[in-house]
Amino acid sequence: MQIYNNMSNYNIKFPRTSHFSWSKGTTSDDRIAKNYDNLIGSELVISEKLDGSNTKQASIGVFARSNAAPTENSWDREMWNIWHRIKNDIPENTQIFGESLYAIHSIQYKALDSYYHIFGIIVEDEWLSWDDVEEYAFLLDLPTVPVLKKCIVTNEKELKETTFSLTQQPSVYDSYDIQTGEKCNMEGIVCRVANSFNTKDFSKNVMKIVREKHVKTDIHWKTNWKRQPLKWEIEKLGN
């Protein structure tokens, strides 16, 4: 794993991820990818898009998506507990991005084993390869987002069929719709090239699919939020 010695802090906000053109869950302000050249013929990692909050762990604290200042959100309390455990292992030029699942959003998971799942790490201006992300996660004793498939596709038709088919199943963590209480499909998938790449090339190398009508939260979510129980808690209540 490549670790840089430059100790200046790089306070980078996670870029907006473009949707594949076949993503059904887009809104009017979403970005739609039109060129997939970087994905075709490259080794790809397709992971589950978990329904939580994009949260950054850095040497100076925990940041929500806004990135303006360390988060003070009540639903990020567990992220700070994690930060206190790993802060001394995060170089100042390294930023870890992951999904915070402490609060329930539109999906409740009934087999969740951790509140934080890493999906990307940037060192200076370089996004680490997926192998390095997995190594970092192992060393920090944190999971990555679930990997659904690693593959190479040879054309756009194969890319569409491979990515879209993976969204047509429940979450690895057993997903349920918060409104109906019924089992539902995962939120979507994220597809990235397995190799490292520069931050200016992010949009060419990372794309997503979100399922149609996924969002079930409203304007009152922040005042009425509820904690997501972990798998062992649900199993204990079941007994």
Side-chain angles (χ1 to χ4, degrees), residues 154-210:
T154 57
N155 55 62
E156 186 175 322
K157 181 176 183 290
E158 186 181 359
L159 178 64
K160 179 178 180 179
E161 291 175 349
T162 301
T163 56
F164 187 76
S165 65
L166 290 171
T167 67
Q168 307 303 299
Q169 56 188 354
S171 168
V172 170
Y173 292 127
D174 198 14
S175 46
Y176 288 78
D177 186 294
I178 61 165
Q179 289 186 347
T180 67
E182 299 295 324
K183 186 181 282 286
C184 63
N185 287 346
M186 66 178 71
E187 177 186 346
I189 60 95
V190 176
C191 179
R192 62 158 285 172
V193 297
N195 290 335
S196 62
F197 51 88
N198 191 276
T199 185
K200 65 180 175 60
D201 296 320
F202 182 91
S203 63
K204 302 176 184 177
N205 292 291
V206 185
M207 300 174 196
K208 66 182 178 181
I209 294 175
V210 176

Side-chain angles (χ1 to χ4, degrees), residues 105-196:
H105 291 252
S106 296
I107 294 175
Q108 180 174 356
Y109 298 103
K110 295 192 177 182
L112 194 66
D113 55 6
S114 173
Y115 282 128
Y116 191 63
H117 289 67
I118 296 173
F119 53 70
I121 299 175
I122 188 169
V123 177
E124 295 192 348
D125 60 355
E126 193 80 359
W127 290 94
L128 296 187
S129 71
W130 187 254
D131 284 347
D132 280 353
V133 170
E134 289 185 325
E135 182 179 351
Y136 231 115
F138 175 79
L139 294 173
L140 295 175
D141 195 23
L142 289 168
T144 67
V145 290
V147 174
L148 304 175
K149 192 178 185 69
K150 294 181 179 181
C151 61
I152 296 175
V153 298
T154 57
N155 55 62
E156 186 175 322
K157 181 176 183 290
E158 186 181 359
L159 178 64
K160 179 178 180 179
E161 291 175 349
T162 301
T163 56
F164 187 76
S165 65
L166 290 171
T167 67
Q168 307 303 299
Q169 56 188 354
S171 168
V172 170
Y173 292 127
D174 198 14
S175 46
Y176 288 78
D177 186 294
I178 61 165
Q179 289 186 347
T180 67
E182 299 295 324
K183 186 181 282 286
C184 63
N185 287 346
M186 66 178 71
E187 177 186 346
I189 60 95
V190 176
C191 179
R192 62 158 285 172
V193 297
N195 290 335
S196 62

Side-chain angles (χ1 to χ4, degrees), residues 22-41:
W22 47 89
S23 175
K24 303 293 186 180
T26 58
T27 60
S28 58
D29 63 341
D30 282 326
R31 295 178 181 176
I32 312 298
K34 298 180 179 179
N35 185 302
Y36 310 114
D37 289 351
N38 274 41
L39 303 183
I40 294 171

